[in-house]
Amino acid sequence: MLSERGFIDHVRRRAAAGSPELLRSIGDDCAVFAPPAGRHLLVTTDTLVERVHFDLGWHPPELLGRKAAAVNLSDIAAMGGGPLYALLSLAAPAGTDEGWLDRVMTGFLTVLAEHDTILIGGDTVRGEQVVISVTLIGDAAPDRILYRSGARKGDLVWVSGQLGEAAAGLELCRRGDESRWPELVRAHLDPRPRMALGRFLAETGTVHAMMDLSDGLATDLAHLCRESGLGAEVEAASLPLSPALQEAAAHLGRAPGELALTGGEDYELLFATGPEATETLPLQVQEATGLEIHRVGRLTAGSGVWLLDGITRREIGDRGYDHFAR
Ligand code: ADP
Ligand code: MG
């Protein structure tokens, strides 16, 4: 295995060149940068732990590196901001293969480069299992930041993309059944952060609240509702379920709607707009980003997330992935 020093030198050589605002990067005790004038800074961190968030048996190292970057970028997108700098803390057991680590770095740095983000530091330690912790620093115009707390009664609830794909993909990986629905497996292994969409939505002025979907629509919408002091109704018939998801769900013996509501790691955006947005927004988004958005419900007075399914109405909040649940 590469020494810690050797690895840091290697990472330093591979990290992208700086910008005039970046005064010191990898190599000192701290990185130093000048904050962009007139902007607010956004800071987020997310950790991937071996056997909790990924399995080395089926997660190729390049895709693991990509995912470590993507899940953090997704949080920046969710605020309507853009990324600037990244920090990477890496724990790996003694004897970890150098080539394997290098491939993780390749994936990680590729995604950073795709989003003009510079690796400015981190930490490299020995651990019992692989842990990849990323901190991302981004920025946004102060009056364009979208919080979870901004939704209003009567707002429409929207999601981007299709739901439940990553959860289905994970289940297929677990069963060693990866070949039939590659798009679902890809959604789990290599999620794409919705950067352009987040920024576009922040610019429209019609979005009141936004977050990304990491723990499933039921749980994440419950968070948005709580922060906004509202309840929500979701129409089961309006959940975007791809044909692949429906086929795979049947194969897995799972209800597709349940995967869509409680499956984690979609990394799509969940947002609320005023009721006037209905007609034009999907087309505008399609033209600007090539992505689909779907209206799935609305915000109400009261509390809780309620699923409307035909004539039934039942509460579904907080049923997604809970890291501390057993
Ligand atoms: P210190 O002990 O002062 O924290 P380190 O020896 O841990 O410094 O790190 C030396 C430099 O290398 C620092 O600039 C740090 O940010 C950077 N660094 C260490 N590990 C990583 C990593 N995995 N990715 C990027 N930069 C790293
Ligand atoms: Mg250190």
Side-chain angles (χ1 to χ4, degrees):
M1 185 197 173
L2 208 57
S3 68
E4 178 190 339
R5 198 51 42 201
F7 178 73
I8 294 172
D9 287 344
H10 181 68
V11 168
R12 186 174 184 173
R13 279 193 300 274
R14 293 195 61 182
S19 62
E21 296 76 36
L22 181 61
L23 307 174
R24 203 47 58 92
S25 183
I26 297 172
D28 215 315
D29 293 307
C30 290
V32 180
F33 63 86
R39 311 273 291 176
H40 279 351
L41 292 176
L42 310 173
V43 185
T44 183
T45 188
D46 240 311
T47 301
L48 299 182
V49 179
E50 181 184 354
R51 291 190 297 275
V52 178
H53 302 99
F54 62 89
D55 194 305
L56 297 179
W58 62 67
H59 219 130
E62 286 85 359
L63 300 189
L64 187 56
R66 290 184 62 88
K67 186 165 179 175
V71 302
N72 281 278
L73 286 163
S74 178
D75 282 323
I76 299 281
M79 304 297 289
L84 297 168
Y85 304 115
L87 294 134
L88 170 67
S89 291
L90 197 65
T96 299
D97 178 57
E98 198 178 305
W100 184 88
L101 263 187
D102 201 46
R103 289 167 64 192
V104 172
M105 289 309 300
T106 298
F108 181 73
L109 292 171
T110 302
V111 172
L112 290 193
E114 284 167 6
H115 298 283
D116 297 321
T117 306
I118 304 173
L119 179 64
I120 60 169
D123 201 14
T124 305
V125 299
R126 189 148 292 183
E128 305 263 293
Q129 56 196 335
V130 177
V131 179
I132 306 175
S133 185
V134 176
T135 298
L136 218 68
I137 299 166
D139 73 346
D143 60 350
R144 286 285 179 251
I145 300 174
L146 294 173
Y147 299 94
R148 295 179 180 185
S149 56
R152 303 172 202 167
K153 190 181 128 190
D155 275 359
L156 305 175
V157 177
W158 305 76
V159 296
S160 61
Q162 313 284 324
L163 301 179
E165 311 248 296
L170 170 59
E171 200 49 43
L172 292 167
C173 288
R174 279 198 180 123
R175 298 195 189 187
D177 214 358
E178 284 105 320
S179 55
R180 263 172 76 187
W181 293 282
E183 64 271 53
L184 303 183
V185 171
R186 193 201 58 74
H188 164 62
L189 296 177
D190 188 19
R192 301 295 156 87
R194 303 305 187 195
M195 309 314 293
L197 178 62
R199 268 182 282 201
F200 176 80
L201 290 173
E203 285 300 320
T204 61
T206 57
V207 177
H208 299 155
M210 186 155 72
M211 64 184 295
D212 69 333
L213 284 168
S214 56
D215 295 340
L217 178 63
T219 294
D220 290 327
L221 182 53
H223 293 318
L224 190 141
C225 283
R226 208 172 295 117
E227 293 303 318
S228 292
L230 295 169
E233 288 176 346
V234 171
E235 285 153 41
S238 66
L239 293 172
L241 306 172
S242 70
L245 180 85
Q246 302 196 38
E247 284 170 34
H251 172 77
L252 293 166
R254 304 277 302 268
E258 189 221 322
L259 285 168
L261 289 169
T262 66
E265 299 200 308
D266 280 321
Y267 298 108
E268 295 292 349
L269 295 178
L270 165 66
F271 55 99
T273 67
E276 74 285 354
T278 330
E279 302 299 324
T280 49
L281 195 60
L283 199 60
Q284 282 176 276
V285 165
Q286 174 77 47
E287 278 169 5
T289 67
L291 297 174
E292 283 179 19
I293 58 168
H294 301 275
R295 191 161 66 78
V296 296
R298 62 191 192 95
L299 288 152
T300 62
S303 66
V305 177
W306 299 81
L307 184 70
L308 309 184
D309 194 354
I311 53 164
T312 68
R313 183 177 190 272
R314 63 189 170 92
E315 190 164 13
I316 55 162
D318 291 320
R319 287 209 314 156
Y321 186 66
D322 180 340
H323 296 259
F324 294 102
R326 313 192 139 249

